[in-house]
Amino acid sequence: MEEVNNIMEIDDDINEEDRINQLPDSVLALILSKLTTREAVRTSVVSKRWRNLFNSPISLVLDAPNMLETNKYSDMNVSQMSFWERSIVKMKRTVEIMNVVCFYLKSVKEVQKIEKLRVHFTFGNIYACILNWWIHFALERKVEEIDLCLLEDNYFSAPSEGFHVFPCDLLVEISSLKRLCLAYCVLAPGSQLSIFSGFNTLKTLELTKVDLVSDDHLQNLLRNCHDIEFLSFNICWNLHYLRIGHPICQKLKYLNVSDCPHLLAIELKGLNVETLEYKGRFIWFQFHYTPRLRTLFIGLNDWRISSGDIWPLCTLPIDLPQLETLFLENTCHMGAAMYVTRFSYLRHLIILKLHEHEHNISWIASILKCFPRLQKLELHLGMDSYVGEELKDRNCPPRCQHDQLKEVVISGMKGQSSEIEIATYLLKNATSLQTMEMDPRPRVYLGNGKWHQLEPNGIWPRTGRNKVEHYLRQHAGAAVQLLFL
Amino acid sequence: MSSSVEAITVLSSDGDEFKITVSAAKLSKPLNWMLEDVCFSDDCDEVPTIEVNSKTLVKVIEYCEKHAPRANSGASDSDAEELKKWDIEFMKMDVKDILFHILMAANYLHMEGLYDLACQTAADLMKGMTVSQIRKIFHIKNDFSSEEQEQLRRQHPGCSFD
């Protein structure tokens, strides 16, 4: 604090010169960490004191915007080039970043601790040894988070050779890794026989477009994830049967499986998992003793399902009677499936991407009786630009008391009659209703409790809002608060 | 401290008195310790001194009062958005004059949010600037000999230093 006090006492007017140099190194290093690496390295020629300031990075962010000249490649009109020209430019760019990174890593080799390594660059398997050297460099410095995305979203993207195989062997001897995010890689530690111990400090594993090679490889990996809490598979290949059961992954709290093309079944047995989010085709689920699983997201897009199929909703109350929060996305013909089920403890129901197939949403009214303890209902209407005509001769859903329902949220409102109809139904039948919120902005669920809000649909400000408000005010009791956003 | 106290009085290094609400003062760890240790009831004579000049302290308190409700209760995403916009406006004011004092004060008062914000602002001033422009903005003297400068250029062949 001594240093700080002295600086504070310096008179403003006298010391205009060199003010930034009064700051301690730790402050300057943090300022530089907010620049791109290329910019931070450049500051080393500002003055002698600045020469080594950039040499203590907390994170290694190795991607094109951070390491290469901003405009050097983005200005090139790659789309006009022939295949060969494009390949040469691509190779030059890859060689350049490898050179720059190697120089950079040599200049920061004294650093003792790296918190994060991030590589977002198109790398195929032919440069494996270089990339593995970077990973080794970070692991030696006790890196806690590794984030690799080895395909960029630009003209340089298409990899001409196979995906990079993540070097699991490097983790066996030294690992303090807590979070691993991989995209466009192969992750397949060892064979079935050798026990892989590299991931036993890992808490978060997020895989996107990763080739898992075989179910056995994945089992081998999961068997030693003793500390894992967050596990996510998004479009992962060669995952057929996902079996997680006692005694492995006992700390797992969140599991996400989205759009894995080969997946046939998920089997969870003796786990403490609290949230499961599944998105994709029709698969089989088996739940054996998962008593803490209280939040479930089911997003089904499978046109093989006919209206007669009652999966997955029919068996859920039997398999997971403790369920408290249920997200249903795009689950076609849900109305028919729901009549036979009863969720005794469910308190929060979220229905997403409505309107996608049918403009009639009155079935929601008829399924509400399956949720006798429902306290909060959210309806998130789809983003399609359909503008419905006034639909007449609609059968009004029968009256049914929902005495626990206190809160209703409807997003993506456009002011259509079917929306008014369901809102009116709720106002009439939810006897304990306290608030009803109407939001014209569609919401998209990103997973793990996160949402993204879009711009409102066009007709709401002009006519939708007035129409809805006019109808709903007539039916709203004094105790209900109507919120128009 | 007695629970009835809602605001406390502190002295700046220039000797001026400032009022800060208890909830806002809690954003700073040292101030929070002071709240726990020292008696701040009305009949207490002692007014603690904060080693930050008046001009800077005004800004720091303004920041604390704005951020205190959110820090204490947690708020929705829309509030967070609004706060972000407020932060940007807040840092726009007479930055060059006061930024370094705010940096030091945030460091000294252990205020993570403000410290991070001030570092980001300083970094933004450097973005896209040439080395000589950076020297000019921050009044830094170039104390390298031309040979040393040439050597540095060779060490980082991928980067341009102009």
Side-chain angles (χ1 to χ4, degrees), chain A residues 362-389:
Chain A
S362 61
W363 58 268
I364 290 166
S366 37
I367 64 160
L368 284 183
K369 66 175 187 301
C370 312
F371 308 97
R373 296 215 181 148
L374 194 67
Q375 292 180 1
K376 183 171 180 182
L377 173 68
E378 294 184 39
L379 305 176
H380 300 289
L381 304 168
M383 295 165 282
D384 60 351
S385 54
Y386 166 76
V387 180
E389 294 301 313

Side-chain angles (χ1 to χ4, degrees), chain A residues 1 5 8 12 18-20 23 27 30-31 34-35 39 41-42 44-48 50 69 103, chain B residues 51 97 100-101 104 108 115-116 119-120 123 128-129 135 138-141 143-144 152 157 160-161:
Chain A
M1 288 304 134
N5 294 352
M8 289 300 164
D12 276 3
D18 247 13
R19 186 166 288 154
I20 201 165
L23 297 171
V27 179
L30 187 73
I31 293 174
K34 301 205 178 275
L35 294 169
E39 285 170 320
V41 170
R42 236 168 39 159
S44 62
V45 290
V46 165
S47 77
K48 276 183 180 156
W50 285 54
E69 293 273 357
F103 271 110
Chain B
E51 291 301 337
D97 200 18
F100 304 117
H101 287 295
M104 296 309 301
Y108 162 61
Y115 184 47
D116 204 63
C119 283
Q120 186 64 57
M129 295 292 168
R135 287 197 196 107
F138 298 122
H139 306 281
I140 303 166
K141 234 185 240 154
D143 51 4
F144 285 117
L152 278 166
S160 68
F161 289 114

Side-chain angles (χ1 to χ4, degrees), chain A residues 137-288:
Chain A
F137 183 94
L139 284 169
E140 275 188 327
R141 283 153 189 83
K142 302 180 192 70
V143 71
E144 288 178 17
E145 182 179 340
I146 292 184
D147 177 358
L148 305 183
C149 176
L150 302 183
L151 194 73
E152 291 159 287
D153 186 17
N154 60 21
Y155 284 117
F156 304 108
S157 68
S160 48
E161 61 293 311
F163 278 164
H164 178 79
V165 181
F166 184 77
C168 292
D169 300 347
L170 294 179
L171 274 76
V172 176
E173 279 171 38
I174 30 165
S175 179
S176 47
L177 199 60
K178 293 207 170 72
R179 182 162 187 258
L180 179 63
C181 302
L182 298 178
Y184 302 98
C185 297
V186 178
L187 180 65
S191 70
Q192 204 179 355
L193 296 168
S194 63
I195 290 170
F196 173 66
S197 59
F199 282 172
N200 44 27
T201 52
L202 207 62
K203 285 191 192 304
T204 301
L205 180 61
E206 285 185 66
L207 307 176
T208 305
K209 302 209 174 174
V210 167
D211 185 353
L212 296 165
V213 180
S214 81
D215 287 352
D216 288 340
H217 284 90
L218 181 65
Q219 281 301 316
N220 191 22
L221 187 156
L222 291 178
R223 205 174 296 144
N224 284 287
C225 288
H226 301 300
D227 277 354
I228 199 133
E229 292 170 8
F230 184 105
L231 185 57
S232 169
F233 301 95
N234 184 23
I235 320 180
C236 288
W237 296 288
N238 290 315
L239 173 62
H240 301 89
Y241 294 93
L242 179 61
R243 287 195 188 91
I244 310 177
H246 187 80
I248 66 167
C249 300
Q250 288 298 298
K251 291 186 182 170
L252 188 66
K253 292 206 167 56
Y254 174 90
L255 174 65
N256 169 55
V257 182
S258 301
D259 302 313
C260 293
H262 304 126
L263 192 65
L264 299 168
I266 293 180
E267 189 183 320
L268 305 179
K269 202 172 180 177
L271 282 185
N272 295 314
V273 66
E274 290 168 7
T275 304
L276 169 65
E277 298 190 333
Y278 174 77
K279 207 173 189 178
R281 296 186 311 163
F282 170 85
I283 60 161
W284 290 102
F285 278 102
Q286 284 204 46
F287 300 102
H288 300 289

